Amino acid sequence: MQAATAAVADIVRTLTPWDALERGHIAETLRWLSESDDIFRRVKPATPPRHLVSYVVLVDPGSRAVLLGLHRKAGLWLPTGGHVDPGEHPLATARRETVEEIAIEADFTVIGDAPLFLTITTTVGIGLSHEDVSLWYVIRGSRDREYALDPAEFADQRWFPLDAPELPAADPHFERFLAKLTAALSV
């Protein structure tokens, strides 16, 4: 196992699953990492057909809200983030994507700099589908501050309440993420 793959496996091993689905995703991810070092996207959109993503969820813990953007390509309300570059640490990806897509430095003081959540999602593109193995990081934000999500990536942006989000279309795992985040904030 190459060092970059081993570092990702170490991260995944530290996650405490929220539910049976996340437990299964963690187990499948650890199996995948033990069998392959080909874990970073090299060619858009689907080479290799399963690859790593770092989501970065901007949270205002005081107002109990998260900022999402309407992603232009996916047509879904998503957190910022992106694909982990070959050999890049997922935390470095989270930091880089925060600068690129929100134009701020990532502040990991909500729950720490480890990911909170892990998901495996099949993404269907034009003629090609692939699987994103996503590590969900949480960064601090404020509803009182203006953020300008990257207009090349996002057509709109809105704050959604943690407790009762009304999401027209979002990542299929987003409600489960919100439940885990709400529990983490209650500690």
Side-chain angles (χ1 to χ4, degrees), residues 65-96:
V66 296
L67 182 68
L68 298 178
L70 181 58
H71 195 271
R72 290 186 183 280
K73 289 182 184 175
L76 300 172
W77 288 93
L78 299 175
T80 57
H83 292 88
V84 181
D85 288 341
E88 186 177 37
H89 192 282
L91 180 59
T93 304
R95 285 188 170 105
R96 175 177 53 78

Side-chain angles (χ1 to χ4, degrees), residues 167-178:
L167 302 175
D171 182 285
H173 303 288
F174 194 70
E175 287 185 35
R176 292 175 42 252
F177 166 78
L178 287 181

Side-chain angles (χ1 to χ4, degrees), residues 76-178:
L76 300 172
W77 288 93
L78 299 175
T80 57
H83 292 88
V84 181
D85 288 341
E88 186 177 37
H89 192 282
L91 180 59
T93 304
R95 285 188 170 105
R96 175 177 53 78
E97 290 289 344
T98 300
V99 170
E100 290 175 5
E101 294 186 355
I102 313 175
I104 62 170
E105 295 294 322
D107 175 351
F108 293 98
T109 60
V110 177
I111 61 164
D113 64 2
L116 176 66
F117 198 52
L118 180 141
T119 58
I120 300 174
T121 307
T122 300
T123 302
V124 180
I126 300 171
L128 293 174
S129 67
H130 66 276
E131 287 183 325
D132 288 334
V133 176
S134 301
L135 295 164
W136 296 58
Y137 290 88
V138 176
I139 61 171
R140 183 176 300 276
S142 171
R143 287 186 82 158
D144 296 331
R145 180 175 172 183
E146 291 287 324
Y147 298 96
L149 297 187
D150 180 359
E153 295 272 340
F154 298 98
D156 196 3
Q157 65 186 53
R158 277 192 1 220
W159 286 95
F160 292 91
L162 289 179
D163 304 317
E166 297 178 17
L167 302 175
D171 182 285
H173 303 288
F174 194 70
E175 287 185 35
R176 292 175 42 252
F177 166 78
L178 287 181

